Amino acid sequence: MVESVEHIFCLCYRVRTAWLWLRAKVTELLSDQGPAPAVSNTELIMLMYPKCRREAEAAFLLCTFMELVDKEVTGKQKELLVGTVRGVLRAKVEQISSRAAPEIHFPLGWL
């Protein structure tokens, strides 16, 4: 069976719940200048969404999620849980804040 990018990262039963949570967060970031744009799952995964003030944060969320899917789901054949995604995101934000890297700002308690 040939699997599409959308299936691997969004629709597979092992990632679906985590993807829905992440998609809601990314949509919230993209709606900083008005109503959220209509963007497909594939467009989000390919980072093809309209510019916004929180573009770095949106890309950070999506790229971290894709890395987790590759590592946990594809590599280890495990289900990706929302708690796992949130924990990894929190750890990465903490790690980034202690380095001289571009700032990524999320509202307190958001992740």
Side-chain angles (χ1 to χ4, degrees):
M1 175 180 167
V2 176
E3 295 175 345
S4 68
V5 168
E6 185 176 27
H7 172 79
I8 293 167
F9 292 104
C10 311
L11 303 176
C12 176
Y13 73 94
R14 291 183 176 163
V15 300
R16 190 175 305 130
T17 303
W19 170 251
L20 291 173
W21 177 83
L22 186 89
R23 182 179 170 82
K25 294 294 184 183
V26 171
T27 301
E28 191 176 325
L29 291 173
L30 296 178
S31 64
D32 70 343
Q33 297 176 11
V39 182
S40 71
N41 289 336
T42 303
E43 288 171 324
L44 285 176
I45 293 298
M46 298 297 200
L47 304 178
M48 295 170 30
Y49 46 80
K51 286 195 171 287
C52 65
R53 288 182 225 137
R54 293 283 180 98
E55 194 169 349
E57 287 84 353
F60 175 78
L61 291 176
L62 289 163
C63 291
T64 301
F65 178 78
M66 289 185 284
E67 178 185 353
L68 279 170
V69 170
D70 184 52
K71 182 179 175 185
E72 298 294 320
V73 180
T74 307
K76 297 180 182 176
Q77 299 294 309
K78 294 171 68 177
E79 183 176 351
L80 186 58
L81 304 173
V82 173
T84 302
V85 175
R86 292 182 73 184
V88 169
L89 287 168
R90 278 191 212 115
K92 282 191 171 219
V93 167
E94 226 175 86
Q95 181 185 30
I96 287 172
S97 66
S98 67
R99 295 187 349 212
E103 301 244 349
I104 295 179
H105 301 285
F106 293 103
L108 190 61
W110 199 71
L111 291 176

